[in-house]
Amino acid sequence: MGAEIDLAEEEAATIFSAPRIRSRLAKGGYSITAFRETLTWGRDRLYALFHDGVPADSLVHARAHLVDEVLRAAWQKFLPEVTQGLTLVAVGGYGRGELLPHSDIDILLLHSGDALELHRKALEHLTAFGWDIGLEIGQSARTVDDCVAEAAKDITVITNLLEARLLTGDGDLYRQMQQALTPDRVWPVPAFFEAKKAEQAARYRKYDDTGYKLEPNVKESPGGLRDIHTIGWVTKRHFNAQTLAELRERGFLTKQECDELFAGQDFLWRVRFALHMISGRREDRLLFDSQVKIAQLFGYVDTDANKAVEQFMQLYYRTIKTLSCLNDMLLQLFEEAILHADEAGADEPEPLNARFQIRHGYLEARDDEVFRRAPWALLEVFLLLQQNPRIEGIRAQTLRMILRDGRFLTDEVRTSVKARALFMEMFREGRGLTRNLRRMNRYGVLGRYVPEFGRIVGLMQYDLFHTLTVDEHILYVLRNARRFAMQRFRHELPHCSEVMERLAKPELLYLAAFWHDMAKGRGGDHSQIGADEARAFCLSHGLSHADASIVAWLVEHHLLMSLTAQKQDLSDARVVADFAQKVGDRTRLDYLFLLTCADIRGTNPALWNSWRESLLKDLYRQSIRLLEGSIDQSTLERERADQARAQALSLLADRTISAETAEAVWKRFDGDYFLRHTPAELVWQLPAIAGVQEAALPLVMVETIDERGTTVFVYTRDRDHLFGLTTGVLARLGLNILDARLHTTDDGFVLDSYVVIESDNTPIASAMRKDEIRDALRKVLSDPEVSTIDVNRRTPQRLKHFDTPTQVYFSQDQARARTLLELVTADQPGLLSLIGRVFQKRGILLNAAKIATIGERAEDVFYVTDRMHRPIADDKVLDELREVLVRTLDRREAA
């Protein structure tokens, strides 16, 4: 046993001495109550010590020590005379001597065969007793031969047994098992190492190869405790070492690296201990409510720049980044020691230049002083990886040098012509750029070369909108932009790939993606601050003033297109014209369109869908016509309406409905109807409208017409609270509404269209589901007695952790004689129905709605009038409406 284990056992014994535990149990007559009370006493003592700041490693070892003594006492209670043929063995995490307050207790009952049958009843009583006293025991019973057979088949079994620790019973039997499981008999070291590497890769894929998600798993996510366990398992198998500290003794870790490894492990243990403590159960996920509680527990407080929870999570993310880096380096060292040990002198390196060479497919420095002698080589090493895709990675010793010598990337080096040329060459190279920058970030070089990036490493935003830390989000957006240029990803967004082919300088898009959120977390307008910094960076890195201006403009306006498409009425030519004027030319439009698509897809996967894509493409195509001068604003709207009619008539040519019939129906509808619907939708709606009798109304249709998604269309006589009833039914069915287009004819009929998706953001696929939607709407809308809909859906637990006070803003659209109401509030089931009810009670007519649910926030825009179809211009009326909405929605959220 190593010195580290001896010290841990000594500390654990200090917290829970064996005589004291036995004394407590004896006083209670070794009853169930005595055992339960002892475990409760132990748990409460651990909690108190946690609050006193005792290191987490002492607490987890102390918990294991407590359980050891409890199980030994229970063994003596039920099997006092048994000394041969039966052995109680701790395995897995418990075998390592690491237990959190609510961890499973994994034990192996090792037996000789006959002894199991002889003592079966006593063992059954022992197992039941363990559960009765509150221990969540996971137990297996095996002979030594069973252990060997199962271990040979399953890497997880040999891993569990690798950590076996004798608790009580037949020591000779335990030693037989250990001897039977040595590498020369089962799982040779190279096979074990390859299997653990594959296991880690599979685990990483489960978490999308990133530990920087909003609600990470402290144990299993990349950079989590399981990465440390993997290092420990390989260490034990290869060196027969008992502790990670022995890696330092064998020269695999420096003192600083060892300190970082144990500091990171202690921090993650402390976080995991806190999770168990505040949840009262086994919990490894850092969920939103837990993050806030732990941040408070760890002493963080809100500041003007960052919330307490964001500060805590930034430390968490930076810790797992350090551990990921150590994991990379150690596994590479192991690979060289285990898989290439016999090739040390036989393999001739392949020189690349005076500083670097390739060995075993990995890049290595040619001497130990490379980065100290030429600090700019800290950038060159990554450019070489990018330019030579055949290179698998960086050799461990070179990686250690990068970590050691990163401090030499000083201001003087960063401002040198050589360093700047190397960095810009990465962006011009394009190929492998994202992977390269991720490596640079992982190993701390990117944040040193670009200090602005270093400030946002691990920075999270406490909301449901941004699913990644700021640094990881930036690299995901850059990845998305790169995919537009790659033929093998052309099928994802063909239109983006076509636009990408027109870019004369793709590196400008990559630079804009790199800088677009760089100024987050500093207060102020991050777009403006980032634009100024991006301009200075580009100019200092040799770009022309024209190119630097494009990058800076893109950073400053990277939200312009998404906000216009999602929050404004694109059927209004003035909206498109205003957007086109701000963009200025086709070149900027191309760049902005691609950056917007990449940004939305990199912010939250649930945000990107065919509906949003269609909005952006529609805005893009309309803007091109204005920017290229093929049409002006005054004729754009009229031409779009005329074009929609003409295309619809062309599509109707093969159908039974004549052009005369179509015109007879359409003459009841004004131009807005044709602006708000595609030709395909017009053709879909027309036969049903023409053929339906008023007595058969309401007409409800549900269909996926085009790329926009599934449309729910309602045609009926106008009635009070129609919007609230319709949205209430859709909410009760668990649907998300992406868009609402509401149209009322002069003769009192409504033509309302809603674009909907399922609650998990998947399209509506089955005919049965569409029938269900149609039938539910017809039932409610055809009943004149129904005036409200009770949604009866609980607010998802995730939404309850965020405080989003309701905000209401008004503006006037004089040209279209309507008022714009912009609403920001907490998302909740039935929200639109509730808003519709408020409108109905106050005599407000709804003309259209733009629905945008962004994480936990609903950011919706409503176009409204009074009952006389006039804008609502009276400030008193607007103030009262704002007050009612705030009071209604905030009360509903609190409930």
Side-chain angles (χ1 to χ4, degrees):
M1 301 285 281
E4 180 199 354
I5 285 188
D6 292 339
L7 181 60
E9 287 191 345
E10 182 180 326
E11 292 173 340
T14 301
I15 295 173
F16 296 123
S17 69
R20 187 175 185 184
I21 295 170
R22 287 195 291 268
S23 175
R24 290 184 63 92
L25 295 173
K27 285 180 181 178
Y30 292 97
S31 64
I32 288 178
T33 301
F35 277 85
R36 291 184 68 92
E37 288 180 350
T38 297
L39 289 169
T40 301
W41 160 78
R43 180 200 64 199
D44 293 343
R45 178 161 169 70
L46 289 174
Y47 287 173
L49 292 171
F50 177 88
H51 286 293
D52 289 343
V54 172
D57 62 341
S58 298
L59 300 180
V60 297
H61 291 307
R63 167 70 176 167
H65 181 72
L66 173 64
V67 173
D68 287 352
E69 293 303 322
V70 166
L71 287 178
R72 286 174 184 141
W75 180 275
Q76 287 299 312
K77 178 180 176 71
F78 292 99
L79 296 145
E81 305 299 328
V82 177
T83 58
Q84 291 185 328
L86 284 178
T87 309
L88 193 64
V89 180
V91 294
Y94 181 34
R96 288 194 303 273
E98 301 169 3
L99 281 183
L100 287 141
H102 297 281
S103 293
D104 290 343
I105 315 297
D106 293 327
I107 60 173
L108 165 66
L109 185 61
L110 192 62
H111 63 88
S112 60
D114 294 341
L116 181 66
E117 291 304 319
L118 182 62
H119 301 288
R120 180 175 293 277
K121 188 166 288 293
L123 290 169
E124 290 174 352
H125 288 314
L126 175 64
T127 301
F129 186 79
W131 282 94
D132 288 341
I133 64 177
L135 294 178
E136 296 187 17
I137 294 177
Q139 177 180 299
S140 59
R142 294 181 181 134
T143 64
V144 171
D145 289 343
D146 291 339
C147 290
V148 173
E150 291 299 317
K153 292 188 295 185
D154 193 334
I155 186 66
T156 58
V157 174
I158 183 61
T159 303
N160 260 352
L161 294 176
L162 192 64
E163 316 219 76
R165 182 168 55 89
L166 175 65
L167 292 175
T168 188
D170 187 343
D172 289 337
L173 193 61
Y174 170 74
R175 284 184 284 277
Q176 289 174 31
M177 180 191 73
Q178 286 189 308
Q179 292 167 3
L181 294 174
T182 55
D184 58 325
R185 300 186 181 186
V186 61
W187 282 103
V189 173
F192 182 83
F193 175 70
E194 293 281 23
K196 297 314 289 186
K197 273 186 65 178
E199 186 180 71
Q200 177 170 289
R203 175 168 53 85
Y204 277 22
R205 286 193 295 272
K206 180 180 176 182
Y207 293 94
D208 299 324
D209 290 306
T210 178
Y212 305 101
K213 294 290 186 73
L214 279 181
E215 295 181 309
N217 187 302
V218 179
K219 182 179 178 182
E220 301 289 346
S221 291
L225 283 166
R226 191 60 85 200
D227 280 11
I228 300 175
H229 298 160
T230 299
I231 294 167
W233 293 327
V234 176
T235 301
K236 290 180 181 180
R237 199 63 177 163
H238 181 50
F239 299 114
N240 196 28
Q242 296 302 309
T243 73
L244 290 173
E246 292 184 47
L247 288 176
R248 183 185 170 193
E249 298 169 9
R250 295 175 181 272
F252 274 72
L253 281 176
T254 65
K255 180 182 184 304
Q256 179 181 342
E257 292 162 352
C258 205
D259 290 344
E260 288 177 347
L261 182 63
F262 289 126
Q265 178 178 250
D266 188 75
F267 174 76
L268 293 184
W269 268 342
R270 190 163 180 79
V271 172
R272 199 169 165 217
F273 191 102
L275 280 171
H276 281 228
M277 186 171 67
I278 65 179
S279 63
R281 65 179 187 278
R282 181 166 59 92
E283 179 59 85
D284 298 325
R285 298 166 301 163
L286 255 176
L287 303 176
F288 289 118
D289 59 336
S290 302
Q291 293 172 15
V292 173
K293 293 173 184 176
I294 294 177
Q296 184 179 15
L297 195 63
F298 283 19
Y300 290 93
V301 294
D302 292 346
T303 66
D304 292 339
N306 296 107
K307 296 178 181 179
V309 64
E310 293 171 345
Q311 298 170 55
F312 160 66
M313 290 303 295
Q314 185 165 31
L315 175 59
Y316 170 82
Y317 291 124
R318 289 188 170 186
T319 299
I320 66 169
K321 178 173 171 287
T322 297
L323 292 174
S324 292
C325 195
L326 288 170
N327 176 271
D328 281 358
M329 185 186 72
L330 282 167
L331 290 184
Q332 180 59 32
L333 279 168
F334 289 149
E335 180 165 330
E336 293 165 11
I338 295 170
L339 301 184
H340 302 298
D342 298 334
E343 306 170 15
D347 185 56
E348 284 296 321
E350 174 190 342
L352 279 178
N353 58 28
R355 290 163 298 282
F356 298 102
Q357 60 193 19
I358 302 173
R359 189 189 297 272
H360 300 309
Y362 285 81
L363 188 68
E364 71 173 0
R366 301 186 71 169
D367 66 73
D368 192 58
E369 299 296 315
V370 164
F371 300 122
R372 295 178 179 180
R373 193 169 55 247
W376 46 263
L378 286 161
L379 300 176
E380 183 187 31
V381 65
F382 294 99
L383 179 59
L384 288 172
L385 287 173
Q386 193 174 343
Q387 292 173 333
N388 298 273
R390 64 192 176 93
I391 301 177
E392 295 181 45
I394 302 173
R395 290 206 80 191
Q397 186 56 38
T398 302
L399 176 54
R400 171 174 280 144
M401 291 166 55
I402 291 171
L403 299 175
R404 181 195 68 190
D405 298 336
R407 58 195 171 91
F408 292 109
L409 264 180
T410 61
D411 284 341
E412 181 181 359
V413 176
R414 285 193 293 268
T415 55
S416 68
V417 173
K418 182 69 173 178
R420 288 174 170 177
L422 287 167
F423 192 71
M424 281 308 303
E425 185 60 30
M426 296 178 192
F427 283 82
R428 294 192 175 97
E429 174 74 23
R431 180 185 58 181
L433 174 62
T434 307
R435 186 182 182 195
N436 209 32
L437 292 180
R438 279 189 170 146
R439 277 175 171 149
M440 293 177 70
N441 185 33
R442 192 181 185 100
Y443 303 143
V445 174
L446 188 55
R448 287 185 180 274
Y449 182 73
V450 184
E452 296 88 348
F453 190 90
R455 284 197 285 267
I456 51 94
V457 169
L459 179 63
M460 63 96 74
Q461 296 167 88
Y462 190 67
D463 56 40
L464 287 175
F465 179 54
H466 301 87
T467 61
L468 297 165
T469 58
V470 179
D471 58 321
E472 192 75 359
H473 162 70
I474 284 174
L475 297 179
Y476 259 83
V477 173
L478 186 55
R479 182 206 71 159
N480 292 339
R482 273 291 303 142
R483 286 163 86 106
F484 298 151
M486 301 168 74
Q487 187 63 34
R488 71 176 184 273
F489 296 114
R490 191 180 183 92
H491 65 281
E492 292 183 346
L493 294 175
H495 184 66
C496 288
S497 297
E498 292 172 11
V499 176
M500 189 76 180
E501 290 172 353
R502 289 198 294 271
L503 297 188
K505 298 179 179 179
E507 65 269 19
L508 302 186
L509 174 64
Y510 307 149
L511 285 165
F514 182 65
W515 278 95
H516 80 284
D517 272 352
M518 197 81 80
K520 285 276 183 80
R522 290 191 244 162
D525 183 349
H526 78 280
S527 299
Q528 183 59 62
I529 297 170
D532 293 340
E533 293 177 345
R535 184 189 303 277
F537 179 88
C538 290
L539 291 174
S540 69
H541 281 70
L543 271 69
S544 68
H545 282 274
D547 288 346
S549 292
I550 289 177
V551 174
W553 184 90
L554 287 168
V555 173
E556 182 178 359
H557 296 92
H558 70 272
L559 297 174
L560 174 63
M561 193 168 195
S562 62
L563 291 177
T564 302
Q566 295 180 80
K567 288 195 168 188
Q568 298 195 52
D569 185 359
L570 299 187
S571 67
D572 186 344
R574 290 173 304 117
V575 169
V576 180
D578 181 58
F579 168 78
Q581 184 178 22
K582 290 176 181 176
V583 173
D585 59 54
R586 173 71 182 272
T587 299
R588 282 183 175 179
L589 178 64
D590 286 345
Y591 280 112
L592 182 60
F593 173 70
L594 294 175
L595 179 59
T596 303
C597 293
D599 191 17
I600 294 176
R601 296 180 79 213
T603 299
N604 186 329
L607 284 178
W608 187 259
N609 51 43
S610 58
W611 169 246
R612 283 190 170 86
E613 181 182 2
S614 70
L615 289 176
L616 293 172
K617 286 164 66 175
D618 186 23
L619 178 57
Y620 175 78
R621 287 164 177 161
Q622 289 190 67
S623 300
I624 287 175
R625 301 190 67 196
L626 291 171
L627 289 170
E628 294 186 340
S630 61
I631 196 170
D632 58 31
Q633 175 191 335
S634 61
T635 57
L636 177 62
E637 221 169 75
R638 184 179 66 253
E639 184 180 291
R640 286 188 64 211
D642 291 344
Q643 189 178 57
R645 291 171 71 115
Q647 289 181 10
L649 287 172
S650 176
L651 292 171
L652 284 167
D654 296 332
R655 306 205 179 192
T656 56
I657 294 183
S658 65
E660 292 76 14
T661 302
E663 293 294 353
V665 173
W666 286 344
K667 71 179 181 181
R668 297 167 49 216
F669 311 148
D670 61 26
D672 280 356
Y673 172 74
F674 299 96
L675 289 170
R676 292 179 183 171
H677 295 90
T678 65
E681 288 176 316
L682 296 177
V683 171
W684 172 56
Q685 294 169 11
L686 180 64
I689 296 172
V692 71
Q693 299 296 317
E694 185 168 348
L697 296 179
L699 168 66
V700 180
M701 299 192 298
V702 183
E703 193 55 78
T704 302
I705 304 301
D706 52 29
E707 63 183 7
R708 291 172 180 259
T710 301
T711 299
V712 176
F713 175 68
V714 176
Y715 174 69
T716 190
R717 274 281 183 188
D718 197 8
R719 58 170 290 186
D720 283 343
H721 198 36
L722 184 61
F723 175 76
L725 291 174
T726 305
T727 55
V729 171
L730 296 175
R732 193 162 63 183
L733 290 169
L735 296 167
N736 287 338
I737 301 172
L738 301 177
D739 184 61
R741 290 163 287 165
L742 315 175
H743 194 83
T744 305
T745 66
D746 290 339
D747 55 352
F749 287 84
V750 297
L751 303 100
D752 294 349
S753 294
Y754 301 85
V755 177
V756 298
I757 54 176
E758 297 285 8
S759 58
D760 61 357
N761 293 302
T762 58
I764 297 165
S766 73
M768 186 179 298
R769 178 62 162 159
K770 293 174 183 177
D771 290 343
E772 179 188 19
I773 297 167
R774 186 193 65 241
D775 294 344
L777 281 170
R778 279 186 54 83
K779 181 178 179 181
V780 169
L781 300 184
S782 62
D783 187 348
E785 300 299 319
V786 178
S787 58
T788 60
I789 291 290
D790 188 359
V791 174
N792 284 331
R793 285 178 60 210
R794 300 183 64 180
T795 301
Q797 190 65 32
R798 301 181 90 202
L799 299 181
K800 295 180 179 180
H801 307 315
F802 300 92
D803 179 21
T804 308
T806 299
Q807 303 167 66
V808 182
Y809 307 96
F810 296 103
S811 60
Q812 300 298 333
D813 182 357
Q814 300 294 348
R816 291 202 165 192
R818 58 188 182 178
T819 298
L820 274 67
L821 186 162
E822 184 174 354
L823 174 73
V824 178
T825 191
D827 188 28
Q828 53 189 284
L831 175 64
L832 293 178
S833 181
L834 197 61
I835 294 168
R837 195 178 308 169
V838 171
F839 288 167
Q840 188 267 330
K841 287 182 178 180
R842 304 194 72 81
I844 294 171
L845 301 181
L846 182 58
N847 180 253
K850 299 286 286 187
I851 312 301
T853 302
I854 301 175
E856 76 284 358
R857 293 156 56 95
E859 298 188 4
D860 303 336
V861 178
F862 303 93
Y863 300 84
V864 298
T865 66
D866 62 17
R867 287 196 179 277
M868 302 302 294
H869 301 281
R870 298 173 303 194
I872 306 170
D874 189 326
D875 289 340
K876 182 179 179 181
V877 173
L878 295 177
D879 288 341
E880 289 175 352
L881 176 57
R882 178 187 290 110
E883 181 184 345
V884 170
L885 284 169
V886 170
R887 185 172 65 247
T888 301
L889 299 180
D890 285 352
R891 182 175 65 233
R892 174 75 174 269
E893 180 189 1

